Amino acid sequence: MVIVLITSVNNNHIKELCKLKDKKYRDEANTFLVETKHLVMEAYKAGLIKELILEKDEIYPLDVDTLYVTKEVLKKLASTNNPSTVMAVVYKKKEVEEIGEKVLLLDNIQDPGNLGTIIRSAVAFNIDTVILSNDTVDLYNPKVVRATQGMMFHVNILRRDSIKIINYLKDNDYKIVGTKVTNGHDVREASIYSHFVLIIGNEGRGISRDIDSLCDEYLYIRMSDKCESLNASVAASILLYEINNK
């Protein structure tokens, strides 16, 4: 374990770490930054920490290379206004090709908070794999990472071309289940197949037309006439809860 102290915001290593705020550099380095003790611990349990970053008087002993920095350096690295005293540089989690039986596909989800919350619910309700369409927001966006509350480290997450992966799964006997009221079944009454793909669409437009045409059936959430629609992450969480309890 290597321990280093850096006090200058102009240090070259700090400048390199600051680049991880940009998706381009996260992709090149295959690493990203996490903040707060909870997220760091979840990354540590997953064996993904490259370097622990602590404010110089912080005590948080983990058996990894550790960088001590000043409060000013932490502010430079952080994506929040009130940075935690504990951060880490974390390796991106490797994809697992074995998809499992219960799959959640997210079609063009754009809000980082929605994506993070949906991933958190996917873990809570026993989804095996989450598939992100190529046009869904970056998994390693700091707001997504915070919203997952560390659950991104505990579920298989893939990024794929939606049409190609759906056709592949259909060929392997997965039922493709969309989400809309028209011709749909109330999720509380619907039968759930052993191998399924549940699709959650874009916050404003729902499931894209090309994907809609590939769905075998649809589910909806029965609710008061006073409410026209639900937030994407709320709707996904309710659907996953109901499916998990069947």
Side-chain angles (χ1 to χ4, degrees), residues 23-122:
K23 180 182 183 300
K24 173 185 174 181
Y25 289 101
R26 292 195 294 269
D27 290 345
E28 289 179 358
N30 203 40
T31 57
F32 61 106
L33 292 169
V34 300
E35 306 173 39
T36 74
K37 290 182 178 180
H38 174 69
L39 286 174
V40 169
M41 181 53 71
E42 293 300 320
Y44 180 73
K45 288 190 290 188
L48 293 173
I49 290 184
K50 179 180 181 181
E51 184 176 49
L52 181 64
I53 304 171
L54 303 177
E55 189 173 348
K56 61 181 182 179
D57 295 323
E58 178 64 65
I59 299 174
Y60 198 62
L62 298 177
D63 187 22
V64 293
D65 291 348
T66 302
L67 179 64
Y68 284 94
V69 299
T70 61
K71 187 179 291 294
E72 289 70 29
V73 173
L74 277 176
K75 287 181 179 179
K76 184 78 172 177
L77 293 172
S79 60
T80 55
N81 293 328
N82 297 301
S84 169
T85 58
V86 178
M87 299 177 64
V89 182
V90 176
Y91 292 108
K92 291 184 178 181
K93 189 171 180 284
K94 291 182 179 180
E95 294 182 350
V96 177
E97 289 301 321
E98 185 177 345
I99 289 177
E101 298 179 358
K102 302 175 182 179
V103 179
L104 176 66
L105 190 148
L106 305 180
D107 174 30
N108 193 24
I109 295 294
Q110 292 300 299
D111 182 83
N114 279 340
L115 176 55
T117 300
I118 292 170
I119 290 171
R120 191 176 177 185
S121 293

Side-chain angles (χ1 to χ4, degrees), residues 11-236:
N11 176 276
N12 286 336
H13 185 54
I14 298 304
K15 288 181 179 179
E16 288 299 309
L17 294 183
C18 284
K19 291 180 180 180
L20 295 177
K21 296 179 183 180
D22 188 315
K23 180 182 183 300
K24 173 185 174 181
Y25 289 101
R26 292 195 294 269
D27 290 345
E28 289 179 358
N30 203 40
T31 57
F32 61 106
L33 292 169
V34 300
E35 306 173 39
T36 74
K37 290 182 178 180
H38 174 69
L39 286 174
V40 169
M41 181 53 71
E42 293 300 320
Y44 180 73
K45 288 190 290 188
L48 293 173
I49 290 184
K50 179 180 181 181
E51 184 176 49
L52 181 64
I53 304 171
L54 303 177
E55 189 173 348
K56 61 181 182 179
D57 295 323
E58 178 64 65
I59 299 174
Y60 198 62
L62 298 177
D63 187 22
V64 293
D65 291 348
T66 302
L67 179 64
Y68 284 94
V69 299
T70 61
K71 187 179 291 294
E72 289 70 29
V73 173
L74 277 176
K75 287 181 179 179
K76 184 78 172 177
L77 293 172
S79 60
T80 55
N81 293 328
N82 297 301
S84 169
T85 58
V86 178
M87 299 177 64
V89 182
V90 176
Y91 292 108
K92 291 184 178 181
K93 189 171 180 284
K94 291 182 179 180
E95 294 182 350
V96 177
E97 289 301 321
E98 185 177 345
I99 289 177
E101 298 179 358
K102 302 175 182 179
V103 179
L104 176 66
L105 190 148
L106 305 180
D107 174 30
N108 193 24
I109 295 294
Q110 292 300 299
D111 182 83
N114 279 340
L115 176 55
T117 300
I118 292 170
I119 290 171
R120 191 176 177 185
S121 293
V123 176
F125 302 122
N126 298 305
I127 288 294
D128 296 315
T129 295
V130 177
I131 300 176
L132 312 180
S133 65
N134 285 332
D135 50 8
T136 286
V137 64
D138 181 31
L139 173 63
Y140 300 100
N141 177 302
K143 292 181 180 178
V144 175
V145 174
R146 288 197 299 273
T148 70
Q149 284 294 298
M151 293 303 99
M152 64 186 294
F153 301 119
H154 303 294
V155 65
N156 188 32
I157 303 176
L158 313 177
R159 185 174 290 273
R160 294 288 187 272
D161 177 277
S162 300
I163 303 301
K164 289 181 180 178
I165 193 65
I166 290 173
N167 280 319
Y168 167 80
L169 292 168
K170 283 176 76 75
D171 289 343
N172 285 274
D173 297 324
Y174 284 76
K175 289 294 181 181
I176 311 302
V177 182
T179 47
K180 66 179 181 180
V181 174
T182 308
N183 297 322
H185 302 288
D186 183 336
V187 64
R188 294 173 296 181
E189 300 168 357
S191 299
I192 301 300
Y193 300 94
S194 60
H195 289 66
F196 68 85
V197 182
L198 174 67
I199 302 174
I200 303 296
N202 174 268
E203 291 90 344
R205 299 186 299 275
I207 296 173
S208 63
R209 184 175 300 176
D210 289 343
I211 291 178
D212 185 280
S213 66
L214 296 174
C215 291
D216 297 309
E217 60 183 68
Y218 305 96
L219 299 179
Y220 72 91
I221 300 166
R222 186 180 299 167
M223 56 188 179
S224 168
D225 293 338
K226 298 175 184 177
C227 182
E228 183 177 343
S229 63
L230 292 171
N231 171 278
S233 61
V234 173

